[in-house]
mmCIF file of all heavy atoms in Angstrom:
data_model
loop_
_atom_site.group_PDB
_atom_site.id
_atom_site.type_symbol
_atom_site.label_atom_id
_atom_site.label_comp_id
_atom_site.label_asym_id
_atom_site.label_seq_id
_atom_site.Cartn_x
_atom_site.Cartn_y
_atom_site.Cartn_z
ATOM 1 N N TYR A 138 -5.287 -4.967 2.919
ATOM 2 C CA TYR A 138 -6.159 -3.860 2.639
ATOM 3 C C TYR A 138 -5.546 -2.959 1.561
ATOM 4 O O TYR A 138 -4.350 -2.739 1.557
ATOM 5 C CB TYR A 138 -6.396 -3.023 3.903
ATOM 6 C CG TYR A 138 -7.214 -3.767 4.921
ATOM 7 C CD1 TYR A 138 -6.630 -4.615 5.838
ATOM 8 C CD2 TYR A 138 -8.597 -3.636 4.911
ATOM 9 C CE1 TYR A 138 -7.398 -5.273 6.780
ATOM 10 C CE2 TYR A 138 -9.401 -4.339 5.844
ATOM 11 C CZ TYR A 138 -8.756 -5.149 6.756
ATOM 12 O OH TYR A 138 -9.528 -5.826 7.665
ATOM 13 N N VAL A 139 -6.375 -2.461 0.659
ATOM 14 C CA VAL A 139 -5.902 -1.588 -0.429
ATOM 15 C C VAL A 139 -6.919 -0.442 -0.633
ATOM 16 O O VAL A 139 -8.066 -0.534 -0.205
ATOM 17 C CB VAL A 139 -5.759 -2.394 -1.752
ATOM 18 C CG1 VAL A 139 -4.680 -3.438 -1.644
ATOM 19 C CG2 VAL A 139 -7.085 -3.030 -2.152
ATOM 20 N N MET A 140 -6.498 0.565 -1.335
ATOM 21 C CA MET A 140 -7.405 1.616 -1.727
ATOM 22 C C MET A 140 -8.108 1.149 -2.986
ATOM 23 O O MET A 140 -7.435 0.647 -3.908
ATOM 24 C CB MET A 140 -6.599 2.910 -2.046
ATOM 25 C CG MET A 140 -5.990 3.576 -0.874
ATOM 26 S SD MET A 140 -7.136 4.080 0.406
ATOM 27 C CE MET A 140 -8.023 5.404 -0.389
ATOM 28 N N LYS A 141 -9.419 1.176 -3.016
ATOM 29 C CA LYS A 141 -10.217 0.688 -4.130
ATOM 30 C C LYS A 141 -11.234 1.732 -4.581
ATOM 31 O O LYS A 141 -11.793 2.454 -3.737
ATOM 32 C CB LYS A 141 -10.915 -0.579 -3.789
ATOM 33 C CG LYS A 141 -10.069 -1.791 -3.845
ATOM 34 C CD LYS A 141 -10.940 -3.021 -3.935
ATOM 35 C CE LYS A 141 -10.107 -4.109 -4.520
ATOM 36 N NZ LYS A 141 -10.780 -4.935 -5.401
ATOM 37 N N VAL A 142 -11.464 1.749 -5.882
ATOM 38 C CA VAL A 142 -12.512 2.575 -6.454
ATOM 39 C C VAL A 142 -13.708 1.659 -6.734
ATOM 40 O O VAL A 142 -13.545 0.654 -7.436
ATOM 41 C CB VAL A 142 -12.034 3.236 -7.761
ATOM 42 C CG1 VAL A 142 -13.169 4.021 -8.393
ATOM 43 C CG2 VAL A 142 -10.825 4.110 -7.544
ATOM 44 N N ASP A 143 -14.830 2.008 -6.242
ATOM 45 C CA ASP A 143 -16.083 1.265 -6.540
ATOM 46 C C ASP A 143 -16.541 1.736 -7.955
ATOM 47 O O ASP A 143 -17.074 2.809 -8.107
ATOM 48 C CB ASP A 143 -17.158 1.582 -5.488
ATOM 49 C CG ASP A 143 -18.428 0.790 -5.740
ATOM 50 O OD1 ASP A 143 -18.522 0.046 -6.725
ATOM 51 O OD2 ASP A 143 -19.352 0.938 -4.936
ATOM 52 N N THR A 144 -16.264 0.889 -8.942
ATOM 53 C CA THR A 144 -16.561 1.290 -10.327
ATOM 54 C C THR A 144 -18.046 1.469 -10.616
ATOM 55 O O THR A 144 -18.406 2.133 -11.563
ATOM 56 C CB THR A 144 -15.935 0.280 -11.317
ATOM 57 O OG1 THR A 144 -16.364 -1.026 -10.992
ATOM 58 C CG2 THR A 144 -14.417 0.357 -11.289
ATOM 59 N N GLU A 145 -18.868 0.873 -9.786
ATOM 60 C CA GLU A 145 -20.329 1.056 -9.970
ATOM 61 C C GLU A 145 -20.735 2.478 -9.599
ATOM 62 O O GLU A 145 -21.607 3.060 -10.219
ATOM 63 C CB GLU A 145 -21.082 0.061 -9.070
ATOM 64 C CG GLU A 145 -20.809 -1.384 -9.341
ATOM 65 C CD GLU A 145 -21.440 -1.863 -10.647
ATOM 66 O OE1 GLU A 145 -22.550 -1.398 -10.976
ATOM 67 O OE2 GLU A 145 -20.820 -2.697 -11.307
ATOM 68 N N GLU A 146 -20.079 3.046 -8.613
ATOM 69 C CA GLU A 146 -20.420 4.394 -8.141
ATOM 70 C C GLU A 146 -19.571 5.489 -8.786
ATOM 71 O O GLU A 146 -19.942 6.675 -8.713
ATOM 72 C CB GLU A 146 -20.183 4.450 -6.635
ATOM 73 C CG GLU A 146 -21.042 3.479 -5.838
ATOM 74 C CD GLU A 146 -22.518 3.801 -5.868
ATOM 75 O OE1 GLU A 146 -22.847 5.011 -5.839
ATOM 76 O OE2 GLU A 146 -23.334 2.880 -5.924
ATOM 77 N N CYS A 147 -18.445 5.158 -9.401
ATOM 78 C CA CYS A 147 -17.531 6.150 -9.980
ATOM 79 C C CYS A 147 -18.262 6.936 -11.079
ATOM 80 O O CYS A 147 -18.877 6.360 -11.979
ATOM 81 C CB CYS A 147 -16.301 5.439 -10.560
ATOM 82 S SG CYS A 147 -15.099 6.563 -11.295
ATOM 83 N N ILE A 148 -18.083 8.274 -11.047
ATOM 84 C CA ILE A 148 -18.725 9.127 -12.086
ATOM 85 C C ILE A 148 -17.708 9.594 -13.148
ATOM 86 O O ILE A 148 -18.012 10.435 -13.979
ATOM 87 C CB ILE A 148 -19.389 10.347 -11.427
ATOM 88 C CG1 ILE A 148 -18.381 11.178 -10.610
ATOM 89 C CG2 ILE A 148 -20.562 9.886 -10.553
ATOM 90 C CD1 ILE A 148 -18.935 12.474 -10.087
ATOM 91 N N ALA A 149 -16.509 9.044 -13.099
ATOM 92 C CA ALA A 149 -15.437 9.305 -14.069
ATOM 93 C C ALA A 149 -15.078 10.775 -14.198
ATOM 94 O O ALA A 149 -14.815 11.275 -15.289
ATOM 95 C CB ALA A 149 -15.857 8.726 -15.435
ATOM 96 N N CYS A 150 -15.006 11.444 -13.060
ATOM 97 C CA CYS A 150 -14.681 12.877 -13.087
ATOM 98 C C CYS A 150 -13.156 13.120 -13.205
ATOM 99 O O CYS A 150 -12.758 14.170 -13.681
ATOM 100 C CB CYS A 150 -15.246 13.604 -11.875
ATOM 101 S SG CYS A 150 -14.449 13.080 -10.320
ATOM 102 N N GLY A 151 -12.355 12.189 -12.726
ATOM 103 C CA GLY A 151 -10.908 12.288 -12.847
ATOM 104 C C GLY A 151 -10.206 13.111 -11.740
ATOM 105 O O GLY A 151 -9.008 13.313 -11.796
ATOM 106 N N ARG A 152 -10.976 13.574 -10.771
ATOM 107 C CA ARG A 152 -10.355 14.376 -9.702
ATOM 108 C C ARG A 152 -9.335 13.581 -8.931
ATOM 109 O O ARG A 152 -8.279 14.091 -8.575
ATOM 110 C CB ARG A 152 -11.446 14.901 -8.745
ATOM 111 C CG ARG A 152 -12.295 15.965 -9.342
ATOM 112 C CD ARG A 152 -13.274 16.481 -8.308
ATOM 113 N NE ARG A 152 -14.218 17.389 -8.947
ATOM 114 C CZ ARG A 152 -15.255 17.935 -8.347
ATOM 115 N NH1 ARG A 152 -15.453 17.665 -7.070
ATOM 116 N NH2 ARG A 152 -16.058 18.727 -8.965
ATOM 117 N N CYS A 153 -9.628 12.324 -8.674
ATOM 118 C CA CYS A 153 -8.695 11.481 -7.923
ATOM 119 C C CYS A 153 -7.383 11.336 -8.635
ATOM 120 O O CYS A 153 -6.297 11.376 -8.056
ATOM 121 C CB CYS A 153 -9.323 10.096 -7.642
ATOM 122 S SG CYS A 153 -9.846 9.187 -9.152
ATOM 123 N N GLN A 154 -7.454 11.183 -9.947
ATOM 124 C CA GLN A 154 -6.262 10.985 -10.756
ATOM 125 C C GLN A 154 -5.392 12.226 -10.757
ATOM 126 O O GLN A 154 -4.176 12.137 -10.794
ATOM 127 C CB GLN A 154 -6.700 10.624 -12.184
ATOM 128 C CG GLN A 154 -5.646 9.935 -12.999
ATOM 129 C CD GLN A 154 -6.234 9.347 -14.264
ATOM 130 O OE1 GLN A 154 -7.290 9.762 -14.742
ATOM 131 N NE2 GLN A 154 -5.542 8.414 -14.824
ATOM 132 N N LYS A 155 -6.010 13.385 -10.716
ATOM 133 C CA LYS A 155 -5.257 14.654 -10.725
ATOM 134 C C LYS A 155 -4.504 14.890 -9.440
ATOM 135 O O LYS A 155 -3.441 15.486 -9.450
ATOM 136 C CB LYS A 155 -6.222 15.842 -10.976
ATOM 137 C CG LYS A 155 -6.754 15.872 -12.398
ATOM 138 C CD LYS A 155 -7.740 17.004 -12.578
ATOM 139 C CE LYS A 155 -8.399 16.881 -13.952
ATOM 140 N NZ LYS A 155 -9.572 17.757 -14.046
ATOM 141 N N VAL A 156 -5.032 14.434 -8.310
ATOM 142 C CA VAL A 156 -4.383 14.698 -7.007
ATOM 143 C C VAL A 156 -3.418 13.618 -6.577
ATOM 144 O O VAL A 156 -2.664 13.784 -5.635
ATOM 145 C CB VAL A 156 -5.388 14.956 -5.885
ATOM 146 C CG1 VAL A 156 -6.250 16.168 -6.170
ATOM 147 C CG2 VAL A 156 -6.248 13.754 -5.604
ATOM 148 N N CYS A 157 -3.413 12.488 -7.255
ATOM 149 C CA CYS A 157 -2.554 11.359 -6.838
ATOM 150 C C CYS A 157 -1.084 11.751 -7.017
ATOM 151 O O CYS A 157 -0.619 12.001 -8.132
ATOM 152 C CB CYS A 157 -2.881 10.101 -7.655
ATOM 153 S SG CYS A 157 -1.901 8.682 -7.175
ATOM 154 N N PRO A 158 -0.320 11.741 -5.904
ATOM 155 C CA PRO A 158 1.065 12.144 -6.030
ATOM 156 C C PRO A 158 1.990 11.153 -6.735
ATOM 157 O O PRO A 158 3.093 11.491 -7.167
ATOM 158 C CB PRO A 158 1.522 12.339 -4.568
ATOM 159 C CG PRO A 158 0.590 11.464 -3.781
ATOM 160 C CD PRO A 158 -0.692 11.460 -4.579
ATOM 161 N N THR A 159 1.558 9.881 -6.843
ATOM 162 C CA THR A 159 2.400 8.854 -7.456
ATOM 163 C C THR A 159 1.886 8.395 -8.826
ATOM 164 O O THR A 159 2.388 7.465 -9.379
ATOM 165 C CB THR A 159 2.516 7.637 -6.539
ATOM 166 O OG1 THR A 159 1.210 7.141 -6.250
ATOM 167 C CG2 THR A 159 3.261 7.980 -5.298
ATOM 168 N N ASP A 160 0.866 9.053 -9.352
ATOM 169 C CA ASP A 160 0.278 8.688 -10.629
ATOM 170 C C ASP A 160 -0.121 7.198 -10.656
ATOM 171 O O ASP A 160 0.154 6.467 -11.547
ATOM 172 C CB ASP A 160 1.273 9.002 -11.759
ATOM 173 C CG ASP A 160 0.574 9.022 -13.101
ATOM 174 O OD1 ASP A 160 -0.628 9.327 -13.159
ATOM 175 O OD2 ASP A 160 1.271 8.747 -14.131
ATOM 176 N N THR A 161 -0.773 6.782 -9.561
ATOM 177 C CA THR A 161 -1.156 5.401 -9.356
ATOM 178 C C THR A 161 -2.529 5.068 -9.910
ATOM 179 O O THR A 161 -2.847 3.918 -10.108
ATOM 180 C CB THR A 161 -1.098 5.109 -7.841
ATOM 181 O OG1 THR A 161 0.202 5.389 -7.398
ATOM 182 C CG2 THR A 161 -1.437 3.672 -7.512
ATOM 183 N N ILE A 162 -3.317 6.075 -10.195
ATOM 184 C CA ILE A 162 -4.679 5.841 -10.660
ATOM 185 C C ILE A 162 -4.723 5.862 -12.164
ATOM 186 O O ILE A 162 -4.217 6.789 -12.811
ATOM 187 C CB ILE A 162 -5.635 6.907 -10.083
ATOM 188 C CG1 ILE A 162 -5.550 6.855 -8.541
ATOM 189 C CG2 ILE A 162 -7.051 6.685 -10.550
ATOM 190 C CD1 ILE A 162 -6.310 7.921 -7.824
ATOM 191 N N GLU A 163 -5.270 4.793 -12.735
ATOM 192 C CA GLU A 163 -5.361 4.717 -14.219
ATOM 193 C C GLU A 163 -6.805 4.759 -14.660
ATOM 194 O O GLU A 163 -7.730 4.439 -13.916
ATOM 195 C CB GLU A 163 -4.672 3.429 -14.676
ATOM 196 C CG GLU A 163 -5.253 2.156 -14.111
ATOM 197 C CD GLU A 163 -4.404 0.937 -14.414
ATOM 198 O OE1 GLU A 163 -3.375 1.050 -15.079
ATOM 199 O OE2 GLU A 163 -4.811 -0.167 -14.023
ATOM 200 N N THR A 164 -6.986 5.181 -15.910
ATOM 201 C CA THR A 164 -8.306 5.293 -16.516
ATOM 202 C C THR A 164 -8.647 3.995 -17.259
ATOM 203 O O THR A 164 -7.841 3.547 -18.090
ATOM 204 C CB THR A 164 -8.374 6.477 -17.487
ATOM 205 O OG1 THR A 164 -7.919 7.650 -16.795
ATOM 206 C CG2 THR A 164 -9.744 6.676 -18.019
ATOM 207 N N LEU A 165 -9.797 3.434 -16.931
ATOM 208 C CA LEU A 165 -10.256 2.232 -17.647
ATOM 209 C C LEU A 165 -10.919 2.644 -18.978
ATOM 210 O O LEU A 165 -11.137 3.819 -19.220
ATOM 211 C CB LEU A 165 -11.271 1.493 -16.802
ATOM 212 C CG LEU A 165 -10.763 1.029 -15.410
ATOM 213 C CD1 LEU A 165 -11.912 0.444 -14.599
ATOM 214 C CD2 LEU A 165 -9.657 0.006 -15.568
ATOM 215 N N ASN A 166 -11.214 1.693 -19.836
ATOM 216 C CA ASN A 166 -11.862 1.948 -21.101
ATOM 217 C C ASN A 166 -13.207 2.631 -20.933
ATOM 218 O O ASN A 166 -13.641 3.405 -21.777
ATOM 219 C CB ASN A 166 -12.052 0.670 -21.899
ATOM 220 C CG ASN A 166 -10.730 0.122 -22.412
ATOM 221 O OD1 ASN A 166 -9.749 0.853 -22.538
ATOM 222 N ND2 ASN A 166 -10.674 -1.164 -22.661
ATOM 223 N N SER A 167 -13.860 2.378 -19.806
ATOM 224 C CA SER A 167 -15.169 2.976 -19.543
ATOM 225 C C SER A 167 -15.063 4.450 -19.076
ATOM 226 O O SER A 167 -16.059 5.104 -18.899
ATOM 227 C CB SER A 167 -15.888 2.148 -18.468
ATOM 228 O OG SER A 167 -15.160 2.206 -17.263
ATOM 229 N N GLY A 168 -13.830 4.906 -18.866
ATOM 230 C CA GLY A 168 -13.636 6.261 -18.372
ATOM 231 C C GLY A 168 -13.553 6.302 -16.861
ATOM 232 O O GLY A 168 -13.142 7.316 -16.279
ATOM 233 N N LYS A 169 -13.911 5.209 -16.206
ATOM 234 C CA LYS A 169 -13.829 5.162 -14.744
ATOM 235 C C LYS A 169 -12.384 4.877 -14.319
ATOM 236 O O LYS A 169 -11.540 4.590 -15.144
ATOM 237 C CB LYS A 169 -14.785 4.103 -14.232
ATOM 238 C CG LYS A 169 -16.212 4.437 -14.677
ATOM 239 C CD LYS A 169 -17.238 3.510 -14.140
ATOM 240 C CE LYS A 169 -18.593 3.931 -14.668
ATOM 241 N NZ LYS A 169 -19.598 3.999 -13.687
ATOM 242 N N ARG A 170 -12.106 5.026 -13.054
ATOM 243 C CA ARG A 170 -10.759 4.932 -12.535
ATOM 244 C C ARG A 170 -10.495 3.654 -11.762
ATOM 245 O O ARG A 170 -11.425 3.071 -11.203
ATOM 246 C CB ARG A 170 -10.428 6.132 -11.684
ATOM 247 C CG ARG A 170 -10.616 7.489 -12.344
ATOM 248 C CD ARG A 170 -9.903 7.590 -13.645
ATOM 249 N NE ARG A 170 -9.815 8.931 -14.188
ATOM 250 C CZ ARG A 170 -10.666 9.483 -15.049
ATOM 251 N NH1 ARG A 170 -11.713 8.818 -15.473
ATOM 252 N NH2 ARG A 170 -10.440 10.677 -15.503
ATOM 253 N N GLN A 171 -9.220 3.268 -11.714
ATOM 254 C CA GLN A 171 -8.800 2.101 -10.967
ATOM 255 C C GLN A 171 -7.445 2.444 -10.330
ATOM 256 O O GLN A 171 -6.614 3.081 -10.939
ATOM 257 C CB GLN A 171 -8.642 0.901 -11.922
ATOM 258 C CG GLN A 171 -8.121 -0.347 -11.268
ATOM 259 C CD GLN A 171 -8.022 -1.496 -12.253
ATOM 260 O OE1 GLN A 171 -8.657 -1.474 -13.309
ATOM 261 N NE2 GLN A 171 -7.198 -2.457 -11.934
ATOM 262 N N ILE A 172 -7.223 1.947 -9.129
ATOM 263 C CA ILE A 172 -5.997 2.231 -8.381
ATOM 264 C C ILE A 172 -5.076 1.021 -8.459
ATOM 265 O O ILE A 172 -5.494 -0.118 -8.165
ATOM 266 C CB ILE A 172 -6.269 2.582 -6.896
ATOM 267 C CG1 ILE A 172 -7.151 3.836 -6.851
ATOM 268 C CG2 ILE A 172 -4.985 2.787 -6.132
ATOM 269 C CD1 ILE A 172 -7.644 4.182 -5.454
ATOM 270 N N LYS A 173 -3.811 1.232 -8.899
ATOM 271 C CA LYS A 173 -2.842 0.158 -8.863
ATOM 272 C C LYS A 173 -2.330 0.017 -7.436
ATOM 273 O O LYS A 173 -1.528 0.832 -6.971
ATOM 274 C CB LYS A 173 -1.651 0.492 -9.818
ATOM 275 C CG LYS A 173 -2.099 0.608 -11.275
ATOM 276 C CD LYS A 173 -0.908 0.972 -12.174
ATOM 277 C CE LYS A 173 -0.862 2.471 -12.329
ATOM 278 N NZ LYS A 173 0.141 2.943 -13.254
ATOM 279 N N ASP A 174 -2.761 -1.024 -6.767
ATOM 280 C CA ASP A 174 -2.508 -1.113 -5.333
ATOM 281 C C ASP A 174 -1.036 -1.278 -4.935
ATOM 282 O O ASP A 174 -0.617 -0.833 -3.870
ATOM 283 C CB ASP A 174 -3.342 -2.262 -4.717
ATOM 284 C CG ASP A 174 -3.050 -3.622 -5.283
ATOM 285 O OD1 ASP A 174 -3.088 -3.760 -6.491
ATOM 286 O OD2 ASP A 174 -2.805 -4.543 -4.499
ATOM 287 N N LYS A 175 -0.208 -1.846 -5.792
ATOM 288 C CA LYS A 175 1.202 -2.042 -5.430
ATOM 289 C C LYS A 175 1.978 -0.697 -5.406
ATOM 290 O O LYS A 175 2.979 -0.584 -4.747
ATOM 291 C CB LYS A 175 1.874 -2.995 -6.403
ATOM 292 C CG LYS A 175 1.429 -4.381 -6.216
ATOM 293 C CD LYS A 175 2.298 -5.351 -6.938
ATOM 294 C CE LYS A 175 1.788 -6.755 -6.673
ATOM 295 N NZ LYS A 175 2.812 -7.736 -6.684
ATOM 296 N N GLU A 176 1.487 0.282 -6.126
ATOM 297 C CA GLU A 176 2.164 1.580 -6.186
ATOM 298 C C GLU A 176 1.532 2.644 -5.301
ATOM 299 O O GLU A 176 2.086 3.713 -5.106
ATOM 300 C CB GLU A 176 2.203 2.068 -7.624
ATOM 301 C CG GLU A 176 2.964 1.176 -8.566
ATOM 302 C CD GLU A 176 2.889 1.597 -10.020
ATOM 303 O OE1 GLU A 176 2.451 2.711 -10.283
ATOM 304 O OE2 GLU A 176 3.332 0.792 -10.834
ATOM 305 N N CYS A 177 0.375 2.349 -4.720
ATOM 306 C CA CYS A 177 -0.369 3.317 -3.919
ATOM 307 C C CYS A 177 0.329 3.559 -2.590
ATOM 308 O O CYS A 177 0.693 2.605 -1.884
ATOM 309 C CB CYS A 177 -1.794 2.815 -3.729
ATOM 310 S SG CYS A 177 -2.799 3.931 -2.741
ATOM 311 N N LEU A 178 0.465 4.800 -2.184
ATOM 312 C CA LEU A 178 1.065 5.176 -0.905
ATOM 313 C C LEU A 178 0.051 5.232 0.233
ATOM 314 O O LEU A 178 0.423 5.412 1.361
ATOM 315 C CB LEU A 178 1.718 6.552 -1.019
ATOM 316 C CG LEU A 178 2.905 6.691 -1.966
ATOM 317 C CD1 LEU A 178 3.370 8.110 -2.017
ATOM 318 C CD2 LEU A 178 4.031 5.744 -1.534
ATOM 319 N N LYS A 179 -1.225 5.077 -0.112
ATOM 320 C CA LYS A 179 -2.290 5.200 0.900
ATOM 321 C C LYS A 179 -2.263 6.548 1.594
ATOM 322 O O LYS A 179 -2.350 6.643 2.802
ATOM 323 C CB LYS A 179 -2.241 4.064 1.936
ATOM 324 C CG LYS A 179 -2.865 2.788 1.475
ATOM 325 C CD LYS A 179 -1.848 1.812 1.141
ATOM 326 C CE LYS A 179 -2.323 0.485 0.673
ATOM 327 N NZ LYS A 179 -1.445 0.047 -0.414
#
Side-chain angles (χ1 to χ4, degrees):
Y138 291 88
V139 295
M140 292 299 292
K141 279 199 159 218
V142 177
D143 182 358
T144 53
E145 300 287 324
E146 300 290 324
C147 181
I148 58 173
C150 66
R152 289 184 188 175
C153 57
Q154 200 168 20
K155 289 177 187 166
V156 298
C157 182
T159 57
D160 197 27
T161 301
I162 302 173
E163 58 189 1
T164 306
L165 301 174
N166 290 337
S167 63
K169 301 185 182 227
R170 305 308 192 265
Q171 177 180 340
I172 299 173
K173 297 179 266 185
D174 61 307
K175 289 192 179 211
E176 297 175 12
C177 180
L178 296 176
K179 277 105 180 141

